[in-house]
Amino acid sequence: MTLRRFSSRTHRLDKSFLAEQLKGALSYRRIAGYFTSSLFEVAHEWLESIPDVKIVCNVDIHPDDLKVAQCREAKMLGRWNANAIEAEALLNRDRYRRLDAFLQQHGQAIRVAPDSVCGFVHGKAGVIERADGRKVGFIGSMNETRSGWQHHYEILWEDDSPDGVAWIEAEFDYLWNAAKPLPESVCKEVRRRSRRHEIRLDDVVDDDSIAPAALIESPLYREGMSLQPWQQGFVTECLKHYRDYGFVRLLLADEVGLGKTLSLATAALALCLLNEKENRRRKPMIIFAPATLCEQWQTELLDKLGIPTARWQTTKKVWLDSNERAISPAGAEHIAACPLRIGIVSTGLMMRDSNEKQHLLDLSYGLVILDEAHKARSRQGFGKNAGEPNELLGFITAIAARADHVLLGTATPIQTTPEDLWDLVRVLHQGKGNFVLGNDYARWHKPAEVLPILSGEQEVTDLASAWELLRSPLPPVNSTADNPVRQLYSAIRQDLGLSTRQFEAGRLADLDIGTRQDFELELDRRVANASFFQRENPFVRHVVLRKRTTLEEAGLLKCVGVDVHPDVNRVKDIHAFYALFEGLAVRTDEHFREAYNEARLFGKVLGKRGKGGGFMKNLMQQRICSSLVAGINTATALLEGRTLHEESDDMEEDVALQTDEERAVLELLLHRLKQITVDPKYEAVLHYLVNEGWLEHGCIIFSQYYDTARWLADALAARFPDEALGLYAGAGRSRLYQKDDSVGIERETLKIMVAEHKIRIMVATDAACEGLNLQTLGALINVDLPWNPTKLEQRIGRIKRFGQVRDSVDMLNLVNEQTVDEKVYERLSERMRDKFNLFGSLPDTIKDEWIEDIETLDEKMDQYIDAQKRATGFDLRYNAHLSTSDKDWRDCSNVLSQRDFGTLMREGWEK
C-alpha cells in the first residue's frame, strides 16, 4: 500500500497520473464537479476503451425541479446556454465531438446531483480499477477539464489502501444513487454543437428547416424550453398550406391555455423568412390584438423568439419599442410606416372611426394576424343593423383582401350560433384566399345548406350533389392524410388535366368511369363514424383546433387538478374563515357598501352621455371591486382634471369629468372610500398565505390593475420583510422587494428568481402574464375577477403546466359581497367544478348587457354553451397535428446567424 502526492508545480498531472492509471483500466468512478462541455477533454483517449465508466457531476438545480424529467432537462439546458453560443461552439467543436462520441459509446455514464445533496462539489475524487484488478483511489482539487489537469495549480493524493478506496467508493455511491441521469436533451445539444454551422437564409435547403434554423438558439430554446408538439404542428401546417396554395389562410382555434400566441408568432416568423428567401418585396407584417393583449404580444415575441417588434400607441400616435420608447415621429399617418418588420396594433382602434384605419387600408400586406378574432363578427339581434358586420369584421375583411397570408386566432370561434364560424372563414376567403370556400356559387358559402352535412344530420349519397360540394373548392392532393382520398384527388386532377394550384373542377361527366366509382366508394366509407364530407370540407382544411382533454389523453399535457377556493370544506381554520367570508364572497362593512352604491350611481350619471359613456359606466364599480386603492387613485385622478385612457378587450376610450353632477357623485364616492381603514381583500390574502399555508407552496397573486398589484406588493412586502417578493408588471414597472426596500428590476430576472425558488410570492398584472412560467409555485390568488373567464384560465395556466410537482394546485377567487362581482362569480363557480378543465365552454367575456339584469346571466351562458355543443358535430379534426414533424428541431445544426436575423427583423415597412 502506498500514498503518493502530486502537485501541478512539480508534475504534469495528466501525464504522470492519468496516463499511468487509466491506460487499459477496467473501470472508472469519478466525482467530477460541474458538468461542462470540456468534461473528459483530457482523459478522453484513455476513457474511450474503458468498459465501465461512471461519473457524477454537480448541477445547480433545485431538488423539486429534478423530480420532473422535462423540468430537469429545461433547467440544465438553460444553465448550459447562459453564455453566448456562437464563439464557444466554433472554438470548441472538437471538444464537443469528443464528448458526443463518449456519450454515445457509454450511454448513461453520467449522472447529475442536486445542490440539496452535495451543494457545490469541491471534493473531487475517483477510483480507478486497473487492468490487473488493483484499485487506486485519488483525491484532488481539479475538475475533469483541460484547465483542471493541465493549466491550473492543483494538488492530488493517490491512495491504493483498501480503506482509502472503500471510503471514496462509499462517497461516490451516495452521490451516484442520489443523482439523476444526464438528460437526453443535453446529450442532443452536445451533438448539435459538435456539428453547428452558421448559414445564410439562402442556404436553407427546405422550407421545413427554416423555422428551426431561426429558433433553435432563440431565448425560448436557450432557456431549455421548446415549442410544444401541437405548436410545432401548426407551423408545419402553415408550411404545407404555403406549398399547396401559395398563400396561407388559417384559423387557429385551440382551446384557452394551449399557447396560441407562440404558435401564431412562430408561424409568422417562418412566413417572414420564406418571403425574404424568395426575394419578394418586403410587404408590411401586422398583428391586430385587443389593446389589453398588445403588450403581451410584444413581450412574448421578444422574450421567447428574440423578435423585436413595434407597438402602436393609440394616444400618442407613435410606434413604441419593447422598452416603451418612441421609435417613430408622432402622427396618425406614421402608422403606415412601421420602423420594424412586424407592427402590433390594437383592435380597439379599428372598432371606431379613426384616421389610422384609412392609412392601413391603403397598404398591401405580406402577413396579417388577428388575435381574439371572434370579436370580428356580424351584429346580433333584430335591429336594422342585424346581420351586418361590426366595425372590426368590416375592417379585417378589407385588410384580408390586401394580404398574402392571413392567420386568425381565437379560442372561441363560435359565440352563439355555428354560423359565427362563417364570419371568420369568409375573412380567410378574401382576395388571394379565394380558394377557401370555392367560387361565388359554391354551397360552402351557405351555412344553412351545409351545416346539416357537417353535423352529420344529413348524408350526401347522390353523386351529382357530392360532386358539386367537392369540385369547388377542389382540395389539394396533400390536404388529407387519408390515402384512399389522396388517390381520389390525384385521379380527379389527372382526369381533368388540373395543375396543383387549380382549385376549380369541371364536369362530373369528364371524369374517368373508374374515378367516379372510387368517388362513390368514398362516399359510402366512414372513418371514426364520420361521413366523407364531415372529414373533407373547407373547415377541416382551414381551421385548426386542439382540445386540452385530447392533449392530456395523448400524454402531452399533465392533468393538474385545480381546487377552487373559497371553500369552507377545504380550510384548516374554520373560525377565521367565517370571520372573513360570507359564502363565496369577502365580507365588507357599511362604508364599502355605501361607496359601492355611489360607484353605481356614478356609472348611471356617466351613462347620461349616451354612446359616449360606453363601457365606462362600470369603471368605478370594477375599480373598487379590485381594491380600495384602485378606486381611490382613479377617483383622485379624475377629480384632478386628468383624462384617463381606458382599454377593454373590445375598445379603447378616453374619460374625463364633464359635468358638475359627475364631479359631485365622484367626490362623495372618494369620501366614502377614505373612511375604510383596511381593505378586506388584504386580510383574505394574508389568511390563505399564513393560516392555510399557501406561502409554503409559493403563490402568484393576480390583478387586472397595476394600482391594485402595486398596493398589494407594497403591503405584503411590509408584512413579510424577510421574503424576496416580486411585482411582475408591464412597461418597466416590475420591482423586487426585501428588507423594507425595493428596486426596479427586469421581468426576466424575476422569472429566473422564481424558477430558482428564490421568490415565493409574486404579484402580477394581466398585462404581463402571457408566457410567464411559474410552475415552481403551487397556489394562485385572483385578487379581482375580470369579466373574462379566459383570463382566469390564462392566469391558472401560469402554474398549471409541466414541471408542477403538485397533483392539484389551489386557486382563490376574491370578490366583495353584495356587488355585481359576487353575483357573476356565483354563476361562474357553478360551472367551474371540473378540476381538470375549469372553464371549457364558458364564453370568453361576460358582456356588459348580460349583467344589466343579473338574473339573465345564467340563461345567456347556457345559450352559449348549447351553441358550443351543437358545433361539436363537425369536430374540426386536427388531432393528426398533435405530434411533431419527423424532424426534431433540437437536432438542427445549420442555424441562421442571430445577428443577421436581428438585422432582418429591424427592417421597416416597404409600401
Side-chain angles (χ1 to χ4, degrees):
M1 293 183 291
T2 59
L3 185 66
R4 294 199 296 169
R5 304 174 183 87
F6 298 86
S7 163
S8 58
R9 181 177 60 82
T10 57
H11 298 79
R12 276 286 301 271
L13 298 182
D14 58 329
K15 301 294 184 183
S16 59
F17 177 77
L18 273 184
E20 176 185 336
Q21 302 294 347
L22 287 180
K23 286 180 180 177
L26 300 176
S27 70
Y28 184 52
R29 302 285 188 270
R30 177 71 158 125
I31 302 170
Y34 269 106
F35 176 79
T36 71
S37 63
S38 60
L39 202 65
F40 324 126
E41 184 180 17
V42 172
H44 176 268
E45 60 184 280
W46 303 302
L47 290 175
E48 196 173 43
S49 60
I50 299 176
D52 183 15
V53 178
K54 289 182 179 178
I55 299 98
V56 63
C57 297
N58 198 191
V59 59
D60 182 19
I61 295 179
H62 192 277
D64 282 350
D65 296 330
L66 279 176
K67 294 176 183 176
V68 183
Q70 285 180 295
C71 198
R72 183 165 69 245
E73 293 192 1
K75 294 289 184 179
M76 281 204 69
L77 279 174
R79 294 280 191 275
W80 222 33
N81 289 329
N83 299 318
I85 292 174
E86 294 84 355
E88 201 270 344
L90 175 65
L91 297 176
N92 297 304
R93 185 169 294 156
D94 288 342
R95 173 196 293 174
Y96 281 113
R97 287 172 178 166
R98 287 194 294 269
L99 181 54
D100 177 42
F102 175 86
L103 292 172
Q104 291 195 57
Q105 179 183 350
H106 291 274
Q108 290 294 338
I110 303 172
R111 290 190 178 183
V112 291
D115 282 2
S116 62
V117 171
C118 54
F120 183 82
V121 175
H122 275 291
K124 317 299 193 305
V127 173
I128 301 169
E129 184 178 2
R130 295 163 53 98
D132 58 10
R134 186 168 59 92
K135 291 184 177 181
V136 176
F138 64 94
I139 299 173
S141 56
M142 73 295 299
N143 285 311
E144 203 80 337
T145 64
R146 178 181 298 277
S147 296
W149 284 105
Q150 294 182 351
H151 301 305
H152 294 163
Y153 174 75
E154 306 283 0
I155 57 174
L156 180 146
W157 286 34
E158 176 193 319
D159 183 0
D160 64 356
S161 68
D163 288 347
V165 169
W167 180 71
I168 295 173
E169 286 183 327
E171 293 299 314
F172 173 85
D173 289 343
Y174 170 75
L175 294 175
W176 180 262
N177 292 329
K180 298 289 184 180
L182 185 68
E184 176 61 25
S185 61
V186 176
C187 300
K188 284 187 175 182
E189 178 65 7
V190 170
R191 191 172 310 130
R192 189 189 74 81
R193 290 198 193 184
S194 73
R195 307 190 310 265
R196 184 186 184 277
H197 177 62
E198 278 193 8
I199 59 174
R200 296 180 306 156
L201 187 57
D202 292 341
D203 298 328
V204 177
V205 177
D206 61 284
D207 294 349
D208 288 329
S209 298
I210 204 161
L215 286 183
I216 190 58
E217 292 177 1
S218 66
L220 177 74
Y221 278 82
R222 290 188 59 146
E223 290 172 7
M225 311 298 286
S226 63
L227 289 184
Q228 297 297 331
W230 57 92
Q231 295 173 319
Q232 189 174 324
F234 179 70
V235 178
T236 301
E237 185 65 22
C238 286
L239 295 175
K240 187 167 80 70
H241 273 244
Y242 185 84
R243 290 190 292 267
D244 288 348
Y245 298 103
F247 303 102
V248 181
R249 300 290 173 119
L250 286 172
L251 166 61
L252 179 60
D254 285 355
E255 285 187 342
V256 170
L258 298 184
K260 286 188 300 298
T261 303
L262 199 53
S263 296
L264 291 167
T266 309
L269 168 63
L271 293 172
C272 174
L273 294 175
L274 282 173
N275 182 286
E276 186 72 17
K277 183 183 177 186
E278 295 181 1
N279 297 315
R280 296 188 183 183
R281 183 165 62 89
R282 289 177 180 167
K283 296 180 182 178
M285 306 185 75
I286 193 165
I287 298 168
F288 294 102
T292 51
L293 298 180
C294 286
E295 187 180 342
Q296 290 183 29
W297 263 95
Q298 189 175 37
T299 299
E300 184 137 347
L301 272 108
L302 184 62
D303 290 356
K304 297 298 180 187
L305 305 184
I307 300 176
T309 59
R311 173 166 52 91
W312 183 253
Q313 214 289 335
T314 303
T315 305
K316 298 178 181 177
K317 301 193 182 306
V318 295
W319 288 103
L320 303 178
D321 67 10
S322 58
N323 292 316
E324 298 285 310
R325 295 177 300 208
I327 53 175
S328 75
E333 68 278 11
H334 292 292
I335 198 172
C338 179
L340 299 180
R341 191 65 184 274
I342 298 178
I344 303 170
V345 176
S346 163
T347 50
L349 186 62
M350 306 304 133
M351 297 288 279
R352 54 187 171 87
D353 292 333
S354 65
N355 292 330
E356 289 97 319
K357 285 174 67 172
Q358 189 54 54
H359 289 300
L360 291 177
L361 287 168
D362 289 338
L363 302 177
S364 60
Y365 297 88
L367 170 69
V368 171
I369 293 177
L370 174 63
D371 194 12
E372 301 291 290
H374 56 273
K375 297 181 184 302
R377 57 189 307 214
S378 298
R379 292 185 171 90
Q380 305 297 303
F382 302 97
K384 63 178 182 179
N385 294 323
E388 294 294 315
N390 66 7
E391 289 290 333
L392 182 57
L393 179 57
F395 173 78
I396 200 63
T397 300
I399 287 288
R402 306 181 63 84
D404 293 339
H405 311 301
V406 178
L407 299 176
L408 308 179
T410 173
T412 52
I414 296 166
Q415 289 285 296
T416 53
T417 67
E419 287 82 358
D420 291 340
L421 186 58
W422 266 258
D423 286 337
L424 301 180
V425 177
R426 286 177 184 133
V427 171
L428 299 178
H429 182 77
Q430 300 304 306
K432 295 175 180 176
N434 60 7
F435 52 80
V436 173
L437 288 172
N439 64 43
D440 292 345
Y441 303 101
R443 292 177 66 188
W444 299 111
H445 291 277
K446 304 169 184 176
E449 289 190 21
V450 297
L451 262 173
I453 299 171
L454 295 172
S455 66
E457 297 172 26
Q458 176 184 330
E459 194 159 346
V460 181
T461 55
D462 176 67
L463 195 61
S465 299
W467 179 247
E468 285 305 307
L469 288 169
L470 185 63
R471 63 176 291 271
S472 182
L474 181 66
V477 172
N478 295 323
S479 65
T480 177
D482 189 333
N483 280 329
V485 177
R486 288 165 65 98
Q487 292 170 6
L488 172 64
Y489 292 165
S490 178
I492 290 172
R493 290 183 177 276
Q494 289 179 11
D495 290 354
L496 301 180
L498 298 176
S499 70
T500 57
R501 294 280 178 87
Q502 287 181 278
F503 308 110
E504 292 289 322
R507 300 183 309 159
L508 177 64
D510 292 335
L511 291 182
D512 181 85
I513 188 169
T515 304
R516 278 180 282 173
Q517 289 173 346
D518 289 343
F519 189 19
E520 288 179 317
L521 289 173
E522 286 306 311
L523 290 177
D524 290 336
R525 187 168 68 97
R526 300 182 75 86
V527 177
N529 203 35
S531 66
F532 179 84
F533 284 111
Q534 282 184 285
R535 308 188 318 268
E536 302 291 330
N537 61 71
F539 301 93
V540 168
R541 290 192 286 273
H542 295 282
V543 182
V544 179
L545 165 63
R546 280 74 59 97
K547 296 182 178 180
R548 176 177 291 277
T549 53
T550 307
L551 298 176
E552 289 174 346
E553 290 167 2
L556 297 172
L557 275 180
K558 178 183 176 182
C559 289
V560 178
V562 181
D563 294 326
V564 182
H565 303 263
D567 184 342
V568 69
N569 297 314
R570 296 183 184 274
V571 296
K572 299 175 183 177
D573 188 340
I574 194 167
H575 298 294
F577 177 86
Y578 279 126
L580 290 168
F581 292 94
E582 175 66 37
L584 297 177
V586 177
R587 292 184 185 275
T588 58
D589 61 14
E590 189 62 32
H591 291 300
F592 178 87
R593 289 190 283 275
E594 289 176 351
Y596 182 75
N597 288 332
E598 295 297 335
R600 294 184 63 188
L601 179 58
F602 181 72
K604 292 179 180 178
V605 172
L606 276 186
K608 293 180 180 179
R609 300 182 184 182
K611 186 177 179 181
F615 70 94
M616 304 304 297
K617 61 186 178 183
N618 292 315
L619 170 71
M620 291 308 302
Q621 284 185 70
Q622 289 188 307
R623 285 297 198 280
I624 69 171
C625 282
S626 173
S627 69
L628 300 180
V629 167
I632 289 171
N633 289 354
T634 303
T636 301
L638 289 170
L639 289 169
E640 288 175 351
R642 282 184 268 168
T643 298
L644 301 183
H645 182 72
E646 290 298 308
E647 300 175 349
S648 74
D649 288 339
D650 291 327
M651 62 189 303
E652 302 177 43
E653 198 166 314
D654 292 327
V655 63
L657 296 183
Q658 294 181 359
T659 68
D660 291 340
E661 184 182 16
E662 291 171 1
R663 173 173 291 277
V665 174
L666 199 57
E667 286 175 342
L668 184 54
L669 168 59
L670 183 59
H671 172 74
R672 301 282 195 203
L673 288 174
K674 289 183 175 180
Q675 305 305 305
I676 307 170
T677 55
V678 178
D679 194 316
K681 285 191 174 182
Y682 172 70
E683 295 181 319
V685 169
L686 276 185
H687 170 76
Y688 274 89
L689 288 177
V690 179
N691 297 358
E692 299 300 325
W694 286 20
L695 181 57
E696 295 303 313
H697 299 307
C699 188
I700 173 76
I701 304 172
F702 271 113
S703 172
Q704 57 190 321
Y705 301 115
Y706 175 75
D707 286 351
T708 297
R710 179 63 190 262
W711 154 72
L712 196 54
D714 289 346
L716 291 175
R719 174 62 176 77
F720 302 104
D722 293 331
E723 289 281 337
L725 183 149
L727 171 62
Y728 193 90
R733 296 185 290 188
S734 296
R735 301 194 71 76
L736 175 66
Y737 296 78
Q738 194 174 43
K739 303 291 186 184
D740 300 321
D741 200 1
S742 68
V743 293
I745 197 168
E746 295 295 325
R747 285 189 302 230
E748 198 63 30
T749 305
L750 288 177
K751 287 161 62 177
I752 292 171
M753 292 183 70
V754 172
E756 294 178 345
H757 302 261
K758 295 177 180 177
I759 289 179
R760 296 194 297 174
I761 303 176
M762 178 82 92
V763 184
T765 63
D766 284 316
C769 85
E770 188 71 20
L772 180 61
N773 302 319
L774 298 174
Q775 61 269 31
T776 57
L777 307 178
L780 180 145
I781 297 175
N782 293 306
V783 76
D784 50 33
L785 182 73
W787 292 352
N788 184 331
T790 59
K791 282 189 178 178
L792 292 179
E793 182 73 17
Q794 287 172 339
R795 289 177 178 183
I796 195 65
R798 300 310 100 210
I799 63 174
K800 185 185 170 191
R801 59 200 310 116
F802 89 82
Q804 175 55 250
V805 298
R806 302 187 73 197
D807 292 330
S808 268
V809 295
D810 292 292
M811 178 172 74
L812 170 65
N813 300 309
L814 296 179
V815 294
N816 291 315
E817 66 172 335
Q818 299 183 36
T819 63
V820 68
D821 274 7
E822 180 189 17
K823 295 173 181 176
V824 170
Y825 183 57
E826 283 176 356
R827 269 60 177 186
L828 283 178
S829 64
E830 295 168 7
R831 294 162 171 80
M832 290 166 58
R833 301 190 187 280
D834 181 352
K835 62 187 295 182
F836 291 106
N837 187 9
L838 283 183
F839 305 105
S841 58
L842 282 177
D844 72 309
T845 300
I846 306 299
K847 299 183 182 302
D848 288 347
E849 61 266 24
W850 292 10
I851 59 173
E852 291 296 332
D853 179 0
I854 197 68
E855 299 308 319
T856 68
L857 181 57
D858 280 326
E859 178 187 348
K860 296 292 186 183
M861 287 197 291
D862 286 341
Q863 287 176 5
Y864 174 88
I865 292 169
D866 288 343
Q868 291 276 320
K869 289 178 179 177
R870 289 198 303 273
T872 59
F874 55 105
D875 193 0
L876 308 174
R877 305 164 186 277
Y878 267 83
N879 290 347
H881 300 290
L882 298 183
S883 59
T884 58
S885 68
D886 294 336
K887 293 183 178 179
D888 185 340
W889 287 15
R890 284 211 175 276
D891 291 336
C892 182
S893 55
N894 288 329
V895 301
L896 294 177
S897 162
Q898 291 297 298
R899 185 185 301 273
D900 294 345
F901 172 62
T903 300
L904 170 64
M905 300 312 295
R906 286 182 173 85
E907 297 282 348
W909 285 358
E910 294 179 7
K911 293 187 179 181

